[in-house]
Amino acid sequence: MPTAKVLDLTSNEVGEIELSEVVFDVPVNEPLIHEAVRSFLANRRAGTSATKTRGDVSGAGRKLWKQKGTGRARIASLRSPLWKGGGNVHGPQPRDWSYNLPKKMRKRAMCAAISERLREGNLVIVNDWKLDAPKTREFLNMLGTLKLNGKTLIVDSLKNTNLMLASRNVQTAKVVNSYGVNIYDLVNHQKLVLTPKSVEELTDILKPRAKDDEEGYRPREDGETRPPRRMPGNRGAAA
């Protein structure tokens, strides 16, 4: 079982904590992490980009001149894509880019990313974030004392008002609670800072459910037979 040191805000070791193997000791799986990041970015796309087709632009619908006899090219409408100010052809239209990734894959990707941060030495566990006042300078001094250079993701309770107010103007730091952790932030931030309470909450959130384990990995007993396979019905084929 992996372990990690618990530090205080002065970077002194105050204890040690045992970490769950199912969350903090998962081998890295780059294709799975890549797919989870793609799914997260696709799900947050607005999908509102649009262009006007010939049915959307302004202009009369009458035929500008007769079909033959003028020596000019035939034309049907002023809103034709061939004309300046006409409609666009095959332009982007509002659409939903989101797609669902299975929950087990999302959890496994997050566990792999957290475990990789631990193996890199970029996971820091702080016993408690206690700030006397919501001062950004004091927060920056704490980051320097803990040697948290670069982009840092801090997982703590959102009820810690002083921490939230002190960190909101720091572009290289982001504070979320355990339920707000996502795969994109784990990959995008080089440092991950947890507390013993957030470690417990993340373990409870990301660990596999016992029901899923029983359904997926329960061995068959001797003499147990599989249920009869359901055959698809007639889908319109000729009898």
Side-chain angles (χ1 to χ4, degrees), residues 97-166:
W97 291 91
S98 64
Y99 65 95
N100 290 328
L101 195 67
K103 185 184 294 184
K104 289 183 180 180
M105 295 178 64
R106 295 199 304 266
K107 287 185 176 181
R108 190 71 175 181
M110 292 182 62
C111 292
I114 294 174
S115 301
E116 187 64 16
R117 288 288 178 257
L118 178 61
R119 285 188 288 267
E120 294 171 349
N122 292 328
L123 190 148
V124 180
I125 299 181
V126 178
N127 59 348
D128 194 9
W129 284 94
K130 289 185 178 179
L131 280 76
D132 298 332
K135 297 294 184 179
T136 303
R137 185 183 300 275
E138 181 180 354
F139 175 72
L140 291 175
N141 292 335
M142 291 180 179
L143 294 182
T145 303
L146 294 171
K147 299 180 181 180
L148 297 175
N149 302 322
K151 303 186 71 173
T152 303
L153 179 65
I154 301 174
V155 183
D156 195 15
S157 174
L158 298 182
K159 296 181 180 179
N160 193 345
T161 308
N162 288 341
L163 176 62
M164 296 293 298
L165 294 177

Side-chain angles (χ1 to χ4, degrees), residues 12-33:
N12 294 324
E13 183 178 350
V14 295
E16 196 174 53
I17 185 173
E18 292 185 352
L19 305 175
S20 175
E21 295 180 354
V22 296
V23 177
F24 295 90
D25 193 17
V26 177
V28 63
N29 189 339
E30 292 185 5
L32 180 60
I33 294 176

Side-chain angles (χ1 to χ4, degrees), residues 23 107 110 178-180 200-208:
V23 177
K107 287 185 176 181
M110 292 182 62
S178 301
Y179 295 93
E200 182 181 352
E201 292 176 349
L202 283 176
T203 303
D204 186 60
I205 294 171
L206 297 178
K207 69 180 180 181

Side-chain angles (χ1 to χ4, degrees), residues 174-204:
K174 182 177 181 179
V175 180
V176 296
N177 62 357
S178 301
Y179 295 93
V181 180
N182 58 71
I183 184 64
Y184 180 75
D185 285 339
L186 291 174
V187 175
N188 191 37
H189 292 79
Q190 291 83 14
K191 302 287 186 178
L192 176 62
V193 183
L194 305 177
T195 62
K197 184 178 180 181
S198 61
V199 169
E200 182 181 352
E201 292 176 349
L202 283 176
T203 303
D204 186 60

